[in-house]
């Protein structure tokens, strides 16, 4: 739309001489100043933006035929932009005759592209940090209305600036009724007023995320529940004013709620959680409760009403005891539960863990973090009770020992496919011989990370029990040597595909030679980061044998230019990612070999390679334009 100032000469044209004095009138279109000794007035033209009253502008703007014209008008000035954001979608006048005239006049000059003025809400906008301001939100509210409508909005502010306020969020509400997903992070200046506008205008809202919003209370959450029946996902984190009343309203009105996540909300208690879970039990499939003041009662409700639950995360619930987890398992309501994660669960004991295994018959994935009361007996009993278990992850469960791990792996009825142990300090090598154990032919992935007591004896026994392993991660096990890993490599009949030995300081070239000899036809990924005894001999073996290897990391290894040259002469090697970080013996002499390898590389890490100067790196970057080079 052309600015009104373009028409001021046509609207207010007057003669060049004025014979009579005219007193000033209300809302004068012009002002005249008499100059001493002259017979003419000097006219000071006022822009029409400042002359027209707001009521006039409002009536003009709401009669603009399309979103395109409104976007043009918003570009004229900040005042016009703010005026346009005050117009609700329902207040815009739609004239079929005017729209046809505009289309006819424009189609003579440009090719028309059809656009749904109502908007289906497929546009996505994200504002981070300093970019999260009311002015930008106002521009989004006006600009997206004529281009399909805003469907997803994410605002991530910070605690150092005020950023977005209720005004900006209200502008979005009035201009974007098609909004389906709203995410607010670190916006302390947004309170109930802005979210009430969202509830009033955006009835299609399906996903709401409120994180670190201290000014938002139950009032706005109740309004969302009453006006947004399509809500399927709710995430609330560190909102100190949201409590039981808001959650009760969500449970009462939002019958389509499928995902719920609540973290660190001190006002949320058993009443809110139990009311919501019991009301939305038929469709609620994913629940995450973290750092809340709930008790055993809430877990009993979960166990009884969680009939549709497939994923459940319970973390840092200090008031939940052994009884709560035991009742949750014995309630027999979690028949569809597939994934269960419990972190910092002081109430998880051997007894309650076995009860959960018996009550969750279809459980396939179990993760226990910092459950300090779980011992070998409970772990073995759980693995026998949970007959469908495929993935087991233990982190910082320090009462679990080698005996418990071997008992889980050797369970003849087990369907376990993946076992992960992280920082389990109770695992130590046993000096005595273990009784005869049954091999586990279902286990495909074994990950033991940063367990300092895990040594050669434990690794050798696990290797013999797991003949079908394909993925092995032993990162951070500085206690193992070649003697411990050889039985594992020799017993893996299926062929290893991914091997991570980073941080295994005592491994030598003999391990890589055995790996290249036994698993050359399947090996795709090999990580030797920090294995300082690995030399050029390993690269020669890899180049001659591992034709399917696509990822190789030899950072901090004793690699020289000779090893890189040998690798580049391998005819069948098809490396895509190569990391040589902190290999101080690799110098500028390796440039021809790196160029040759670069024919297939998409990633090359040369960070902290002090013997390679910047000019060599620059030439490599120019030559290997397809490859992402870190230096």
């Amino acid at each position: 739309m052309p600015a009104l100032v373009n028409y001021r000469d046509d609207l207010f044209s007057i003669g060049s001489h004025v014979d009579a004095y005219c007193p000033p009138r209300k809302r004068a279109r012009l002002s005249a100043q008499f100059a001493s000794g002259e017979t003419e007035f000097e006219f000071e033209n006022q822009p029409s933006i400042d002359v027209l009253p707001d009521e006039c502008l409002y009536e003009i703007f709401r009669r603009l035929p399309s979103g395109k014209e409104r976007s043009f008008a918003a570009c004229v000035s900040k005042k016009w932009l703010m005026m346009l954001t005050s117009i609700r979608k329902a207040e815009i006048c739609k004239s079929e005759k005017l729209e046809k005239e505009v289309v006819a006049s424009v189609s003579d000059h440009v090719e028309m592209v059809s656009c749904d003025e109502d908007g289906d809400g497929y546009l996505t906008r994200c504002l981070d940090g300093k970019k999260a301001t009311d002015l930008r939100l106002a521009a989004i509210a006006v600009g997206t209305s004529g281009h399909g409508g805003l469907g997803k909005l994410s605002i991530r502010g910070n605690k150092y600036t005020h950023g977005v306020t209720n005004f900006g969020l209200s502008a979005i509400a009035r201009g974007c009724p098609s909004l389906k997903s709203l995410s607010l992070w670190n916006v302390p200046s947004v309170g109930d007023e802005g979210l009430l506008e969202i509830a009033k205008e955006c009835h299609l809202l399906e996903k709401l995320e409120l994180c670190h919003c201290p000014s938002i209370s139950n009032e706005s959450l109740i309004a969302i529940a009453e006006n947004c029946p399509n809500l399927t996902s709710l995430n609330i984190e560190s909102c100190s004013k949201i409590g039981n009343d808001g959650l009760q309203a969500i449970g009462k009105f939002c019958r389509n709620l499928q995902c719920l996540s609540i973290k660190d909300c001190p006002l949320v208690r058993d009443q809110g959680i139990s009311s919501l879970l019991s009301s939305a039990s038929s469709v609620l499939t994913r629940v995450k409760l973290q750092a809340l003041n709930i008790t055993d009662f809430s877990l009993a409700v979960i166990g009884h009403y969680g009939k549709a639950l497939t994923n459940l995360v319970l973390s840092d619930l200090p008031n939940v005891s052994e009884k709560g987890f035991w009742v949750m398992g014995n309630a027999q309501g979690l028949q569809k539960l597939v994934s269960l994660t419990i972190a910092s669960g002081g109430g998880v004991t051997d007894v309650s863990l076995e009860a959960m295994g018996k009550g969750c018959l279809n459980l396939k994935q179990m993760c226990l973090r910092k459950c300090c009361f779980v011992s070998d007996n409970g772990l073995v009993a759980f693995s026998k009770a949970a007959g469908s278990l495929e993935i087991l992850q233990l982190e910082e469960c320090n009462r679990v020992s080698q005996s418990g791990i071997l008992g889980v792996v050797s369970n003849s009825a087990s369907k376990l496919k993946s076992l992960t142990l992280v920082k389990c300090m109770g695992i130590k090598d046993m000096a005595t011989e273990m009784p005869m154990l049954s091999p586990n032919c279902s286990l495909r992935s074994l990950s033991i990370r940063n367990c300092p007591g895990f040594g050669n004896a434990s690794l050798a026994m696990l290797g013999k029990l797991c003949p079908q392993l394909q993925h092995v991660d032993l990162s951070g096990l500085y206690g193992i040597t070649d003697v411990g890993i050889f039985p594992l490599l020799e017993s893996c009949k299926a062929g290893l595909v991914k091997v991570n030995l980073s941080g295994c300081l005592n491994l030598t070239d003999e391990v890589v030679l055995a790996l290249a000899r036994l698993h050359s036809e399947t090996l795709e990924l090999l990580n030797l980061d920090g294995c300082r005894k690995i030399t050029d001999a390993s690269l020669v073996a890899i180049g001659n044998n591992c034709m399917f290897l696509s990822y190789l990391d030899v950072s901090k290894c004793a690699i020289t230019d000779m090893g890189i040259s040998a690798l580049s002469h391998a005819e069948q090697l098809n490396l895509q990612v190569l990391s040589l970080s902190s290999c101080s013996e690799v110098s500028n002499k390796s440039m021809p070999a790196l160029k040759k390898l670069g024919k297939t590389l998409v990633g090359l890490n040369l960070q902290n390679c002090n013997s390679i100067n910047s000019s060599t790196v620059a030439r490599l970057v120019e030559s290997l334009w397809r490859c992402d080079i870190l230096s």
Side-chain angles (χ1 to χ4, degrees):
M1 170 184 171
L4 295 178
V5 293
N6 296 337
Y7 298 105
R8 65 173 178 235
D9 294 335
D10 297 331
L11 293 173
F12 308 118
S13 60
I14 62 173
S16 59
H17 297 276
V18 179
D19 295 312
Y21 169 75
C22 296
R25 296 191 183 114
K26 186 178 181 180
R27 296 192 183 278
R29 292 293 191 269
L30 55 87
S31 61
Q33 183 178 4
F34 181 78
S36 178
E38 296 181 358
T39 59
E40 295 182 328
F41 288 97
E42 294 181 0
F43 295 99
E44 183 181 349
N45 294 320
Q46 294 290 334
S48 57
I49 298 176
D50 298 328
V51 172
L52 286 177
D54 291 347
E55 294 81 0
C56 247
L57 287 175
Y58 172 81
E59 293 298 331
I60 292 172
F61 289 157
R62 77 188 194 97
R63 285 171 170 78
L64 293 177
S66 70
K68 183 178 180 180
E69 280 70 26
R70 288 191 289 276
S71 297
F72 286 158
C75 295
V76 173
S77 70
K78 183 177 179 180
K79 178 182 177 182
W80 282 27
L81 173 60
M82 296 305 172
M83 178 68 69
L84 283 161
T85 59
S86 68
I87 304 174
R88 302 180 188 275
K89 196 82 169 180
E91 295 172 345
I92 297 176
C93 296
K94 292 186 177 181
S95 172
E96 295 183 4
K97 180 180 179 181
L98 185 57
E99 287 179 358
K100 289 179 181 179
E101 291 176 357
V102 171
V103 171
S105 62
V106 175
S107 60
D108 293 336
H109 305 283
V110 297
E111 181 181 355
M112 293 297 293
V113 179
S114 61
C115 182
D116 185 7
E117 180 67 18
D118 293 331
D120 293 327
Y122 60 83
L123 296 180
T124 299
R125 295 292 181 266
C126 181
L127 300 181
D128 291 339
K130 294 181 179 179
K131 294 182 179 180
T133 62
D134 287 343
L135 192 61
R136 288 182 182 270
L137 285 181
I140 289 173
V142 176
T144 58
S145 62
H147 297 83
L150 184 66
K152 183 177 181 180
L153 175 63
S154 176
I155 303 173
R156 294 178 177 264
N158 57 62
K159 58 183 179 181
Y160 303 107
T161 59
H162 288 290
V164 173
T165 67
N166 290 321
F167 178 85
L169 202 60
S170 298
I172 290 292
R174 289 189 290 266
C176 307
S178 59
L179 189 67
K180 295 180 181 179
S181 175
L182 175 63
S183 178
L184 302 178
W185 286 66
N186 288 319
V187 282
S189 299
V190 172
D192 290 331
E193 181 183 344
L195 207 56
L196 286 172
E197 283 292 319
I198 293 289
K200 184 178 179 180
E201 302 293 337
C202 304
H203 303 303
L204 300 178
L205 193 67
E206 297 177 359
K207 181 179 179 180
L208 178 62
E209 200 170 11
L210 304 174
C211 298
H212 298 277
C213 302
S215 302
I216 294 177
S217 71
N218 286 323
E219 181 184 359
S220 53
L221 198 60
I222 292 172
I224 290 288
E226 293 175 347
N227 293 278
C228 304
N230 296 328
L231 193 70
T232 59
S233 177
L234 177 64
N235 182 5
I236 305 174
E237 178 180 340
S238 299
C239 295
S240 56
K241 293 185 178 181
I242 291 180
N244 295 330
D245 293 341
L247 295 184
Q248 287 176 322
I250 292 291
K252 181 178 180 181
F253 295 103
C254 300
R255 296 295 184 177
N256 296 315
L257 190 68
Q258 298 176 11
C259 302
L260 173 68
S261 177
I262 306 176
K263 177 183 177 181
D264 191 23
C265 296
L267 297 183
V268 172
R269 303 296 176 92
D270 289 329
Q271 185 179 1
I273 295 296
S274 59
S275 177
L276 193 156
L277 291 174
S278 59
S279 301
S281 60
S282 60
V283 294
L284 197 60
T285 58
R286 305 174 70 92
V287 171
K288 181 179 180 180
L289 305 177
Q290 184 175 357
L292 300 177
N293 295 320
I294 59 175
T295 67
D296 297 338
F297 182 76
S298 292
L299 265 65
V301 172
I302 292 174
H304 184 75
Y305 288 101
K307 293 179 171 48
L309 279 181
T310 58
N311 295 72
L312 177 61
V313 178
L314 303 172
S315 176
D316 192 17
L317 305 176
N319 298 325
V320 176
S321 67
E322 178 187 56
K323 180 180 178 181
F325 288 104
W326 184 86
V327 172
M328 184 180 76
N330 282 313
Q332 301 295 319
L334 300 176
Q335 299 296 315
K336 294 184 179 180
L337 191 66
V338 174
S339 175
L340 175 60
T341 299
I342 303 175
S344 301
V348 180
T349 63
D350 292 345
V351 174
S352 59
L353 184 61
E354 183 179 5
M356 287 186 282
K358 292 179 178 178
C360 307
L361 298 179
N362 293 301
L363 188 66
K364 293 185 177 181
Q365 181 173 346
M366 182 64 166
C367 177
L368 297 175
R369 297 192 184 102
K370 297 182 179 180
C371 296
C372 55
F373 295 113
V374 174
S375 69
D376 295 338
N377 293 333
L379 190 62
V380 173
F382 169 78
S383 66
K384 292 180 178 179
S388 301
L389 190 68
E390 296 180 356
I391 301 173
L392 177 61
Q393 182 173 346
L394 305 177
E395 297 184 18
E396 298 185 53
C397 296
N398 296 329
R399 293 189 64 185
V400 175
S401 69
Q402 182 196 68
S403 176
I405 300 303
L406 294 176
V408 169
V409 172
S410 63
N411 180 12
S412 59
S414 174
K415 298 179 181 178
L416 195 65
K417 295 180 179 179
S418 174
L419 175 63
T420 300
L421 307 174
V422 181
K423 296 181 180 179
C424 293
M425 303 302 176
I427 300 178
K428 300 183 185 302
D429 278 351
M430 289 185 177
T432 57
E433 287 290 332
M434 292 292 294
M436 293 298 296
L437 299 174
S438 303
N440 187 317
C441 296
S442 63
L443 197 67
R444 298 290 186 271
S445 175
L446 176 64
S447 178
I448 305 172
R449 306 195 301 268
N450 300 311
C451 298
F454 198 93
N456 290 334
S458 302
L459 187 60
M461 280 187 281
L462 270 181
K464 294 177 181 179
L465 290 175
C466 308
Q468 299 299 320
L469 281 179
Q470 295 179 336
H471 302 163
V472 174
D473 184 351
L474 305 176
S475 54
L477 301 187
Y478 52 80
I480 64 172
T481 64
D482 297 352
V483 176
I485 204 169
F486 281 150
L488 176 69
L489 299 180
E490 292 170 356
S491 64
C492 294
K493 305 302 181 183
L496 291 174
V497 178
K498 296 180 180 181
V499 178
N500 186 353
L501 302 174
S502 61
C504 298
L505 307 179
N506 296 312
L507 297 183
T508 68
D509 291 326
E510 295 300 322
V511 170
V512 180
L513 294 176
L515 194 59
R517 185 181 71 256
L518 298 171
H519 304 281
S520 60
E521 296 181 357
T522 56
L523 191 63
E524 297 177 4
L525 180 149
L526 179 59
N527 190 341
L528 300 169
D529 183 8
C531 299
R532 55 194 179 190
K533 295 183 179 180
I534 298 297
T535 67
D536 294 336
S538 293
L539 294 189
V540 174
I542 289 171
N544 291 336
N545 297 282
C546 303
M547 64 183 70
F548 298 107
L549 190 69
S550 61
Y551 181 101
L552 176 62
D553 189 343
V554 288
S555 302
K556 305 184 189 71
C557 295
I559 301 299
T560 68
D561 296 327
M562 186 180 297
I564 303 300
S565 177
L567 202 61
S568 67
H569 284 89
E571 296 180 356
Q572 297 178 329
L573 193 63
N574 192 30
L575 270 182
Q576 295 183 8
V577 177
L578 175 63
S579 180
L580 302 172
S581 176
S582 300
C583 292
S584 57
E585 297 299 320
V586 177
S587 68
N588 296 327
K589 295 179 182 179
S590 292
M591 183 177 174
L594 291 175
K595 277 188 175 181
K596 190 174 181 180
L597 288 169
K599 294 178 180 179
T600 59
L601 286 179
V602 295
L604 176 62
N605 187 355
L606 299 176
Q607 290 180 317
N608 301 315
C609 293
N610 299 326
S611 299
I612 300 179
N613 58 38
S614 57
S615 60
T616 301
V617 174
R619 291 198 297 271
L620 281 173
V621 170
E622 183 179 354
S623 176
L624 308 179
W625 56 271
R626 291 179 61 254
C627 182
D628 185 12
I629 300 178
L630 297 177
S631 62

